[in-house]
Amino acid sequence: MGASIMGEFGYERELVRALLRDQHPDLAELELRDVEGGWDNQQWRLGPELAVRLPRTERAPALLRTEQRWLPVLAERLPLPTPVPVRVGEPSDLFEHTWTITRWVDGEPADRAPITRADAAGTLAGFLGALHLRAAGDAPVSSTRGLPLASLRDGFGSSLEAVADEVDTDQARESWEKAVAAPTWNGPPIWLHGDLHPANVIVREGTLSGVIDFGDLCSGDPATDLSAAWILLPDGAASRFFDAYEVADEATIVRARGWAVLRALNLIAIGRNGRLGLPGGKPTWEPAGRAALERASA
């Protein structure tokens, strides 16, 4: 049996080189560089234009299959660079799961280089306007995204409790309860990125320049993605974003704010775990989450 998924660990570069020689030998001698970050997948930069992604959590192979199936279809209409799969690695004696070679998206993740320019509101609105079309009948459905917020009450409660000693829980709870009480989405299922947070968007010169990690791509209520108005954009830019996006009614905006509160709490919790040296922690996520919660709760 080849390498298997074991949780918190890193694959060796030699494994990646061996996989390339085995399945994509024309790319095997390109320069291979480690890339920091990643949650479900470990990533290397391959030459100047490509990246290699290997799954390292139990759910990651299925997420890669989602990207392999759907991102090439959707990317053609998206106005920002995305990590479109260009080659697929199949399970083998060397490695028992699928893996992917994608386009490299140049820039820094927003958890390391936050968006600072207000005109990013228009860029984000243009991206989501292009993505948010009626989903295909066989589009993925998520158990945690694109749903009515009432179904996530338990998750909100535990997330709020986890950081209750460090944040203003009253404001966060008020925004959440308003969102739960708002009318639910009654339109058709819409294509969603599903995981728009600072580590999954790319920044250059202070503005949004790419969107990555489409493994949670799914269909449902666009409010999930619209939470990015508070999660990603600088103070005061949310109203500018919704003006540019144009098609969100008041109920959708209220739900989006609730999603933003929920996602910000998760960012803070994961970031705090990183600060404390606990498994699965990402220290750069804590300041990003705190800033997002402040914006979403205001």
Short mmCIF file of all heavy atoms in Angstrom, two decimals, residues 16 27 203 218 241 298:
data_model
loop_
_atom_site.label_atom_id
_atom_site.label_comp_id
_atom_site.label_asym_id
_atom_site.label_seq_id
_atom_site.Cartn_x
_atom_site.Cartn_y
_atom_site.Cartn_z
N VAL A 16 6.13 13.39 -4.14
CA VAL A 16 5.52 14.16 -5.22
C VAL A 16 6.30 13.95 -6.52
O VAL A 16 5.71 13.74 -7.58
CB VAL A 16 5.47 15.66 -4.86
CG1 VAL A 16 4.78 16.45 -5.96
CG2 VAL A 16 4.76 15.87 -3.53
N LEU A 27 6.16 16.59 -16.81
CA LEU A 27 6.23 17.67 -15.82
C LEU A 27 7.16 17.34 -14.66
O LEU A 27 7.38 18.19 -13.78
CB LEU A 27 4.83 17.97 -15.26
CG LEU A 27 3.73 18.31 -16.28
CD1 LEU A 27 2.39 18.47 -15.57
CD2 LEU A 27 4.09 19.56 -17.07
N VAL A 203 -4.48 37.85 -2.81
CA VAL A 203 -4.40 39.31 -2.82
C VAL A 203 -3.10 39.75 -3.50
O VAL A 203 -2.04 39.17 -3.25
CB VAL A 203 -4.46 39.86 -1.38
CG1 VAL A 203 -4.28 41.38 -1.36
CG2 VAL A 203 -5.77 39.47 -0.71
N CYS A 218 -20.62 23.91 -4.07
CA CYS A 218 -21.91 23.26 -3.86
C CYS A 218 -23.01 24.18 -4.39
O CYS A 218 -22.73 25.18 -5.05
CB CYS A 218 -22.13 22.95 -2.37
SG CYS A 218 -22.13 24.41 -1.29
N PHE A 241 -20.21 46.65 -1.83
CA PHE A 241 -20.28 45.33 -2.45
C PHE A 241 -21.71 45.00 -2.87
O PHE A 241 -21.96 44.59 -4.00
CB PHE A 241 -19.75 44.26 -1.48
CG PHE A 241 -20.13 42.86 -1.88
CD1 PHE A 241 -19.41 42.19 -2.85
CD2 PHE A 241 -21.23 42.23 -1.30
CE1 PHE A 241 -19.78 40.90 -3.24
CE2 PHE A 241 -21.60 40.95 -1.68
CZ PHE A 241 -20.87 40.28 -2.64
N ALA A 298 -21.25 44.74 13.65
CA ALA A 298 -21.43 46.18 13.83
C ALA A 298 -22.86 46.59 13.50
O ALA A 298 -23.46 46.06 12.56
CB ALA A 298 -20.46 46.95 12.96
#
